[in-house]
Amino acid sequence: MDVKDFYFDLPKKLIAQDPLEDRSASRLLVMDKGSGTVCHRTFRDILEYVTPGDCLVINDTKVIPARLFGVKKDTLAKIELLLLKRREHDIWETLVKPGKKARPGTEIIFGDGCLTGTILDMADEGNRLIQFHYSGIFEEILDQLGHMPLPPYITHQLKDKNRYQTVYAVHEGSAAAPTAGLHFTRELLSQVEAMGVNIARVTLHVGLGTFRPVKAENVLDHHMHSEFFMVDPEAAEKINHTKAAGGRVICVGTTSCRTVESAADENGIIKAKSGWTDIFIYPGYRFRVLDGLITNFHLPESTLVMLVSALAGRERTLSAYQAAIDEGYRFFSFGDAMLIL
C-alpha cells in the first residue's frame, strides 16, 4: 500500500486560518459510506442524522498551552519548546527548536525565570527529555507562560485560545485539539442529548505523532507514536448498551475512534481501561465498534486520511475530498466537517 495512493492536491487558499465566530455554522459534507454519495449541509444539521438510541462518543481531552519560548542560560540564544508528553513528575518529552542548541546539560530560562529547565537526554525522533524547576503549581505557570500549540499551517494569531478547545474539554494533557469536536456548541450538544442520543465521554491525549507525515513509501512500514487514553465504566456501559440494542456508535473525531477501537475486545465489547495506544487504522482494518464518524478534512498522505479511507474506502474518500475542494470547503483544524454514515 503506497502512501502516494492517499495524495490529493489542495489549494492553499482552502486551509482555514481562523475559526468561525459560530462553531456550528461550519459546513458539513455528509457521505454515505456504502455508496459514496455526498450532500452538502451545515454542521448544526447534524440533528437530522442522529436518532434516539445512537451513541455519540466525544474526546474530552484539554489542550495545554504546550509551546514555550525561552533562552539558553549561558548564551541567551532563543529556544522554542513544545511539550509532547509527561514522562514522570516534572520530566517531559519535548520537541526543541533549534535542536543543535539543546544538548544534554543545557539550561533554559523561561519568562522572568519563574520556570527553568535542564535538558537531560535525547529521546526518539530527536526529541529531548527536559526536567523543569519552579516554585508553585506547574499548570498555573504553564498557563501564564505557554502558548497554544497551533499547527504550522495556521499562520494567523489566535485571538481567543479557548477556540482551540472543545466546549467539553476537561482533562488536560493534549498537544493538539481533537478538532472534529470544535464544531459543537453547548447548545447543540444539549439538543443532541435531548433527542435521546447517549453521550459517551472518553479521553485520548492527542500527541504530535497523529499528525506527523508518513515518511515510509509503504504505509505498512509507518510507526505510530503512542498516546494515553482512558475509558471509564460509564462510557463503556453506554457504548456497549448502544451496540447491544442495535443503535449506532458515532465517534466525534479520529481520536475518539482510535480510543474505542483500542478499548474493544475481539467481539467489539468495550472494556473500562486506561493505557497507551499506537493503533494504526488503514484500509483493510475491521472496525469493532465504530459505525459512523464525524471528522474534519485532513492533510494529504496523512494517517488520518488513511483512517477515513478504512471506513469509507480510499476511492470514495478521495472523491468526497475532491467534491469538498470543488465546493470551496475549508480544510484542516479550523475548517469544515464531514459526517460518514
Side-chain angles (χ1 to χ4, degrees):
M1 194 181 306
D2 197 311
V3 66
K4 294 184 178 65
D5 292 338
F6 300 90
Y7 177 80
F8 59 91
D9 188 25
L10 179 71
K12 190 175 181 179
K13 65 180 181 180
L14 295 183
I15 300 175
Q17 292 295 322
D18 303 287
L20 296 181
E21 185 173 345
D22 177 1
R23 290 174 182 259
S24 62
S26 298
R27 298 176 71 183
L28 179 70
L29 186 148
V30 182
M31 178 185 182
D32 183 299
K33 65 185 178 185
S35 66
T37 58
V38 302
C39 64
H40 307 288
R41 306 297 299 270
T42 300
F43 191 81
R44 62 177 68 96
D45 296 332
I46 201 83
L47 296 169
E48 300 178 24
Y49 294 93
V50 294
T51 58
D54 287 343
C55 181
L56 206 64
V57 183
I58 60 178
N59 181 8
D60 63 5
T61 188
K62 190 172 186 178
V63 185
I64 60 174
R67 180 165 277 119
L68 288 165
F69 297 93
V71 296
K72 288 182 64 175
K73 183 178 180 180
D74 54 355
T75 65
L76 299 184
K78 294 181 179 180
I79 284 191
E80 177 184 341
L81 249 69
L82 184 63
L83 306 183
L84 299 178
K85 65 177 70 170
R86 189 195 293 266
R87 286 292 190 89
E88 55 178 296
H89 304 299
D90 295 319
I91 298 176
W92 286 74
E93 182 176 340
T94 65
L95 179 65
V96 182
K97 296 181 182 179
K100 62 182 180 181
K101 294 182 180 179
R103 296 184 175 87
T106 299
E107 294 185 50
I108 307 171
I109 300 172
F110 302 95
D112 60 1
C114 62
L115 178 68
T116 62
T118 304
I119 303 292
L120 299 180
D121 204 352
M122 303 285 287
D124 294 340
E125 300 282 335
N127 297 335
R128 305 303 200 268
L129 295 182
I130 182 170
Q131 180 160 23
F132 288 107
H133 313 279
Y134 55 90
S135 295
I137 299 173
F138 180 74
E139 287 73 18
E140 291 182 357
I141 296 172
L142 189 61
D143 191 55
Q144 174 189 342
L145 299 179
H147 300 260
M148 278 298 180
L150 296 179
Y153 51 74
I154 294 178
T155 59
H156 290 190
Q157 188 76 22
L158 184 62
K159 296 178 182 178
D160 178 4
K161 64 182 181 180
N162 286 324
R163 291 308 308 273
Y164 196 57
Q165 301 278 19
T166 64
V167 297
Y168 45 78
V170 176
H171 300 292
E172 294 187 335
S174 274
T179 55
L182 296 178
H183 303 284
F184 279 99
T185 62
R186 289 186 176 86
E187 179 186 15
L188 182 58
L189 204 59
S190 295
Q191 288 176 309
V192 169
E193 198 165 19
M195 293 175 59
V197 175
N198 290 311
I199 306 293
R201 294 172 174 263
V202 300
T203 305
L204 183 139
H205 292 321
V206 189
L208 290 188
T210 302
F211 305 98
R212 285 187 186 276
V214 179
K215 295 180 180 178
E217 290 185 11
N218 187 337
V219 169
L220 304 184
D221 292 333
H222 177 69
H223 172 68
M224 291 284 284
H225 288 248
S226 60
E227 296 164 312
F228 185 77
F229 75 94
M230 297 181 291
V231 179
D232 66 20
E234 180 182 356
E237 195 280 329
K238 284 183 177 181
I239 296 169
N240 290 334
H241 175 77
T242 297
K243 297 293 283 189
R248 299 175 300 177
V249 173
I250 302 170
C251 290
V252 179
T254 57
T255 60
S256 297
C257 164
R258 292 172 58 245
T259 301
V260 299
E261 293 295 317
S262 297
D265 65 17
E266 60 184 12
N267 297 312
I269 304 299
I270 295 286
K271 306 290 186 181
K273 63 192 298 186
S274 64
W276 296 85
T277 179
D278 60 358
I279 188 171
F280 183 14
I281 298 176
Y282 51 83
Y285 179 85
R286 183 181 66 84
F287 288 91
R288 300 175 178 181
V289 181
L290 175 141
D291 298 298
L293 178 68
I294 298 170
T295 185
N296 278 20
F297 292 93
H298 306 293
L299 278 72
E301 299 181 346
S302 65
T303 61
L304 305 180
V305 168
M306 294 172 193
L307 186 153
V308 174
S309 297
L311 178 63
R314 184 185 68 86
E315 292 184 1
R316 287 191 290 271
T317 296
L318 293 181
S319 177
Y321 268 55
Q322 188 58 53
I325 292 169
D326 293 343
E327 292 289 328
Y329 275 65
R330 303 163 74 245
F331 273 63
F332 305 161
S333 295
F334 287 142
D336 295 314
M338 186 177 187
L339 169 63
I340 306 168
L341 288 173

